[in-house]
Amino acid sequence: MTEIRPIQWSDGKLWLLDQTRLPMERITLEIDSCQKAVDAIREMRVRGAPAIGVTAAYAMVLAAQEIEADDASTFLHQLRRTGTIVSAARPTAVNLQWAVQRMLSSAADECGVAQLRGKLLEEARRIQDEDEAINRHMGDLGKDLIPDGGSVLTHCNTGALATSGFGTALGVIRASWEAGNRFQVYNTETRPFLQGARLTSWEFQQLGIPATLIVDSAAGMMMAQGKITCVITGADRIAANGDTANKIGTYSLAVLARENSIPFYVAAPISTIDLELPSGEEIQIEERSAEEVTHFSGNATAPDGVPAINPAFDVTPNRYISAIISEGGVSRPPYLETLLLATRSGRSA
Ligand code: MRU
């Protein structure tokens, strides 16, 4: 099997696998300006919290190539201004701001403009490489949560496409499968953007892991019938107390899991944990265009002029989450204490 790598840097440009076209077409976009990278994030041609973080890092490299300044302080001033624009491309996933901050910190040293450009590229490559390594490590730490003989439900797309490679929640499922465990996988279609139907189903096929697609609203019945023994999702932002923002519909799955006494797990790198936010109430939820709800592929699926709202994420309160897997370990409640420990041990590892 060839590993899926949605983000590549070569010839001084960024190359993104266009996730709006999968699985029908495999098209690679040539991104040669910071603005094009920001547009690709906004239009969800690249999506998933870690993947947009990595793309933001390369957006800063592209910005650095575009800035016409001979002295380091003017260069850094302009780079910081661009960083604000890149960070705001999508509001919910903290990985975007985290990556931009990390890029700016790497360029804070006193040195010449050419050297700064080199440092920025090195840092973006490091962020990308670390992300895949972290995912593999999380897979190893979390694989025993998906036991042999059971069945797992996942939501949205959290695989290689949503990251630099391997994936978070999907990576944990993959690691368990590769360790020899055999279980039934179900994945939701994930209305309205269909990340589950289009991307997760495709990834499981590429991996050779049998997975059955269900409509989002079938999850409750499947759980009540005993067909699901655990749920695992990714995250876009986890507050200090463990409240977790993830793809719209995650909250409903977590409540249904609790009602049916099924464990509900979240897998996400430490870069998704925002210790500055005390709870999920402070997480900004992205509102996307109503057209994503009323249309599919340019065709209307609702009457002309019908009002629709399209919150892209929801927040699952920490009480519904059985464990959070990060590279810092498998954290369990009380998250206020255990997430702090995980971030400390993960960052020093
Ligand atoms: O709107 P998207 O497709 O970017 O949302 C993605 C998700 O909600 C994922 O579950 C999350 O980013 C984790 S990805 C490893």
Side-chain angles (χ1 to χ4, degrees), residues 318-345:
N318 58 21
R319 63 182 179 279
Y320 294 111
I321 302 172
S322 315
I324 297 176
I325 305 130
S326 72
E327 68 271 34
V330 178
S331 308
R332 297 199 182 255
Y335 292 116
L336 212 48
E337 291 164 27
T338 57
L339 284 183
L340 192 60
L341 286 174
T343 55
R344 283 185 185 149
S345 65

Short mmCIF file of all heavy atoms in Angstrom, two decimals, residues 318-345:
data_model
loop_
_atom_site.label_atom_id
_atom_site.label_comp_id
_atom_site.label_asym_id
_atom_site.label_seq_id
_atom_site.Cartn_x
_atom_site.Cartn_y
_atom_site.Cartn_z
N ASN A 318 -16.78 17.46 28.63
CA ASN A 318 -15.80 16.45 29.07
C ASN A 318 -16.44 15.23 29.73
O ASN A 318 -15.88 14.13 29.67
CB ASN A 318 -14.75 17.09 29.99
CG ASN A 318 -15.37 17.74 31.22
OD1 ASN A 318 -16.50 17.41 31.60
ND2 ASN A 318 -14.65 18.66 31.82
N ARG A 319 -17.61 15.41 30.35
CA ARG A 319 -18.21 14.29 31.09
C ARG A 319 -18.59 13.11 30.19
O ARG A 319 -18.79 12.00 30.66
CB ARG A 319 -19.41 14.75 31.92
CG ARG A 319 -20.58 15.28 31.12
CD ARG A 319 -21.72 15.76 32.03
NE ARG A 319 -22.83 16.30 31.27
CZ ARG A 319 -22.86 17.54 30.77
NH1 ARG A 319 -21.84 18.35 30.96
NH2 ARG A 319 -23.91 17.96 30.08
N TYR A 320 -18.71 13.36 28.90
CA TYR A 320 -19.06 12.27 27.97
C TYR A 320 -17.84 11.55 27.41
O TYR A 320 -17.98 10.60 26.64
CB TYR A 320 -19.88 12.83 26.80
CG TYR A 320 -21.24 13.35 27.23
CD1 TYR A 320 -21.53 14.70 27.20
CD2 TYR A 320 -22.22 12.46 27.69
CE1 TYR A 320 -22.76 15.18 27.59
CE2 TYR A 320 -23.46 12.93 28.09
CZ TYR A 320 -23.72 14.28 28.05
OH TYR A 320 -24.94 14.74 28.46
N ILE A 321 -16.65 12.05 27.74
CA ILE A 321 -15.44 11.51 27.10
C ILE A 321 -14.73 10.53 28.04
O ILE A 321 -14.30 10.91 29.14
CB ILE A 321 -14.50 12.67 26.67
CG1 ILE A 321 -15.27 13.61 25.72
CG2 ILE A 321 -13.24 12.13 26.00
CD1 ILE A 321 -14.54 14.89 25.38
N SER A 322 -14.58 9.28 27.60
CA SER A 322 -13.99 8.24 28.45
C SER A 322 -12.48 8.40 28.54
O SER A 322 -11.88 8.11 29.58
CB SER A 322 -14.31 6.85 27.90
OG SER A 322 -15.67 6.77 27.54
N ALA A 323 -11.83 8.80 27.43
CA ALA A 323 -10.37 9.00 27.45
C ALA A 323 -9.97 9.87 26.27
O ALA A 323 -10.64 9.88 25.24
CB ALA A 323 -9.64 7.65 27.38
N ILE A 324 -8.88 10.60 26.46
CA ILE A 324 -8.30 11.41 25.39
C ILE A 324 -6.89 10.89 25.13
O ILE A 324 -6.06 10.85 26.04
CB ILE A 324 -8.27 12.92 25.76
CG1 ILE A 324 -9.71 13.44 25.97
CG2 ILE A 324 -7.54 13.73 24.68
CD1 ILE A 324 -9.81 14.89 26.44
N ILE A 325 -6.66 10.47 23.88
CA ILE A 325 -5.34 9.91 23.53
C ILE A 325 -4.53 11.02 22.84
O ILE A 325 -4.97 11.60 21.85
CB ILE A 325 -5.51 8.73 22.56
CG1 ILE A 325 -6.45 7.68 23.16
CG2 ILE A 325 -4.15 8.12 22.18
CD1 ILE A 325 -7.53 7.24 22.23
N SER A 326 -3.35 11.28 23.37
CA SER A 326 -2.42 12.22 22.72
C SER A 326 -1.05 11.56 22.78
O SER A 326 -0.90 10.48 23.37
CB SER A 326 -2.41 13.56 23.45
OG SER A 326 -1.75 13.42 24.69
N GLU A 327 -0.03 12.24 22.22
CA GLU A 327 1.32 11.66 22.33
C GLU A 327 1.82 11.70 23.77
O GLU A 327 2.83 11.09 24.10
CB GLU A 327 2.29 12.36 21.37
CG GLU A 327 2.64 13.80 21.69
CD GLU A 327 1.66 14.80 21.04
OE1 GLU A 327 0.46 14.48 20.92
OE2 GLU A 327 2.12 15.90 20.66
N GLY A 328 1.08 12.42 24.65
CA GLY A 328 1.45 12.46 26.07
C GLY A 328 0.83 11.31 26.85
O GLY A 328 1.01 11.23 28.06
N GLY A 329 0.08 10.42 26.20
CA GLY A 329 -0.49 9.27 26.88
C GLY A 329 -2.00 9.19 26.73
O GLY A 329 -2.61 9.97 25.99
N VAL A 330 -2.60 8.25 27.45
CA VAL A 330 -4.06 8.08 27.44
C VAL A 330 -4.58 8.74 28.72
O VAL A 330 -4.37 8.24 29.82
CB VAL A 330 -4.45 6.58 27.38
CG1 VAL A 330 -5.97 6.43 27.42
CG2 VAL A 330 -3.88 5.93 26.11
N SER A 331 -5.21 9.90 28.55
CA SER A 331 -5.67 10.68 29.71
C SER A 331 -7.12 10.36 30.01
O SER A 331 -7.94 10.25 29.10
CB SER A 331 -5.56 12.18 29.43
OG SER A 331 -4.27 12.50 28.98
N ARG A 332 -7.41 10.24 31.30
CA ARG A 332 -8.80 9.99 31.74
C ARG A 332 -9.19 11.09 32.73
O ARG A 332 -8.31 11.81 33.23
CB ARG A 332 -8.90 8.62 32.39
CG ARG A 332 -8.56 7.51 31.37
CD ARG A 332 -9.07 6.15 31.80
NE ARG A 332 -8.68 5.13 30.84
CZ ARG A 332 -9.49 4.56 29.95
NH1 ARG A 332 -10.76 4.90 29.91
NH2 ARG A 332 -9.06 3.64 29.12
N PRO A 333 -10.49 11.24 33.02
CA PRO A 333 -10.91 12.30 33.95
C PRO A 333 -10.21 12.15 35.30
O PRO A 333 -9.88 11.01 35.68
CB PRO A 333 -12.41 12.08 34.09
CG PRO A 333 -12.79 11.26 32.90
CD PRO A 333 -11.60 10.45 32.53
N PRO A 334 -9.96 13.20 36.04
CA PRO A 334 -10.30 14.60 35.76
C PRO A 334 -9.30 15.23 34.77
O PRO A 334 -8.11 15.31 35.07
CB PRO A 334 -10.23 15.27 37.13
CG PRO A 334 -9.23 14.45 37.90
CD PRO A 334 -9.29 13.06 37.36
N TYR A 335 -9.82 15.71 33.64
CA TYR A 335 -8.94 16.18 32.56
C TYR A 335 -8.14 17.43 32.92
O TYR A 335 -7.07 17.65 32.36
CB TYR A 335 -9.76 16.42 31.29
CG TYR A 335 -10.29 15.13 30.70
CD1 TYR A 335 -11.65 14.88 30.62
CD2 TYR A 335 -9.42 14.15 30.24
CE1 TYR A 335 -12.14 13.70 30.10
CE2 TYR A 335 -9.90 12.96 29.71
CZ TYR A 335 -11.26 12.74 29.65
OH TYR A 335 -11.72 11.56 29.13
N LEU A 336 -8.68 18.23 33.83
CA LEU A 336 -7.95 19.44 34.22
C LEU A 336 -6.55 19.06 34.71
O LEU A 336 -5.58 19.75 34.44
CB LEU A 336 -8.74 20.16 35.33
CG LEU A 336 -8.66 21.67 35.38
CD1 LEU A 336 -8.89 22.32 34.03
CD2 LEU A 336 -9.67 22.21 36.39
N GLU A 337 -6.46 17.93 35.41
CA GLU A 337 -5.15 17.47 35.90
C GLU A 337 -4.43 16.63 34.85
O GLU A 337 -3.26 16.83 34.58
CB GLU A 337 -5.35 16.61 37.16
CG GLU A 337 -5.81 17.41 38.34
CD GLU A 337 -6.36 16.52 39.45
OE1 GLU A 337 -5.93 15.35 39.55
OE2 GLU A 337 -7.21 17.02 40.21
N THR A 338 -5.16 15.67 34.25
CA THR A 338 -4.46 14.69 33.42
C THR A 338 -4.00 15.28 32.08
O THR A 338 -2.97 14.86 31.55
CB THR A 338 -5.35 13.45 33.18
OG1 THR A 338 -6.58 13.88 32.58
CG2 THR A 338 -5.64 12.72 34.47
N LEU A 339 -4.74 16.25 31.55
CA LEU A 339 -4.30 16.85 30.28
C LEU A 339 -3.05 17.70 30.49
O LEU A 339 -2.16 17.74 29.63
CB LEU A 339 -5.40 17.71 29.65
CG LEU A 339 -6.54 16.97 28.96
CD1 LEU A 339 -7.52 17.95 28.33
CD2 LEU A 339 -6.04 15.99 27.90
N LEU A 340 -2.98 18.34 31.63
CA LEU A 340 -1.79 19.14 31.95
C LEU A 340 -0.56 18.22 32.01
O LEU A 340 0.48 18.49 31.42
CB LEU A 340 -2.00 19.85 33.29
CG LEU A 340 -1.02 20.93 33.66
CD1 LEU A 340 -1.03 22.04 32.62
CD2 LEU A 340 -1.36 21.51 35.03
N LEU A 341 -0.74 17.08 32.68
CA LEU A 341 0.36 16.11 32.77
C LEU A 341 0.75 15.59 31.39
O LEU A 341 1.92 15.49 31.05
CB LEU A 341 -0.05 14.92 33.66
CG LEU A 341 -0.12 15.17 35.16
CD1 LEU A 341 -0.69 13.96 35.87
CD2 LEU A 341 1.28 15.50 35.68
N ALA A 342 -0.29 15.30 30.58
CA ALA A 342 -0.03 14.75 29.24
C ALA A 342 0.74 15.76 28.39
O ALA A 342 1.70 15.40 27.70
CB ALA A 342 -1.35 14.40 28.56
N THR A 343 0.34 17.04 28.48
CA THR A 343 1.03 18.03 27.64
C THR A 343 2.47 18.19 28.10
O THR A 343 3.37 18.33 27.28
CB THR A 343 0.32 19.42 27.67
OG1 THR A 343 0.20 19.82 29.02
CG2 THR A 343 -1.04 19.37 27.03
N ARG A 344 2.69 18.10 29.41
CA ARG A 344 4.07 18.23 29.90
C ARG A 344 4.91 17.04 29.46
O ARG A 344 6.01 17.21 28.94
CB ARG A 344 4.09 18.31 31.43
CG ARG A 344 3.68 19.69 31.87
CD ARG A 344 3.80 19.84 33.37
NE ARG A 344 3.30 21.12 33.80
CZ ARG A 344 2.74 21.34 34.96
NH1 ARG A 344 2.59 20.37 35.84
NH2 ARG A 344 2.31 22.55 35.29
N SER A 345 4.38 15.84 29.63
CA SER A 345 5.21 14.66 29.28
C SER A 345 5.36 14.55 27.76
O SER A 345 6.42 14.21 27.26
CB SER A 345 4.63 13.38 29.86
OG SER A 345 3.39 13.12 29.26
#
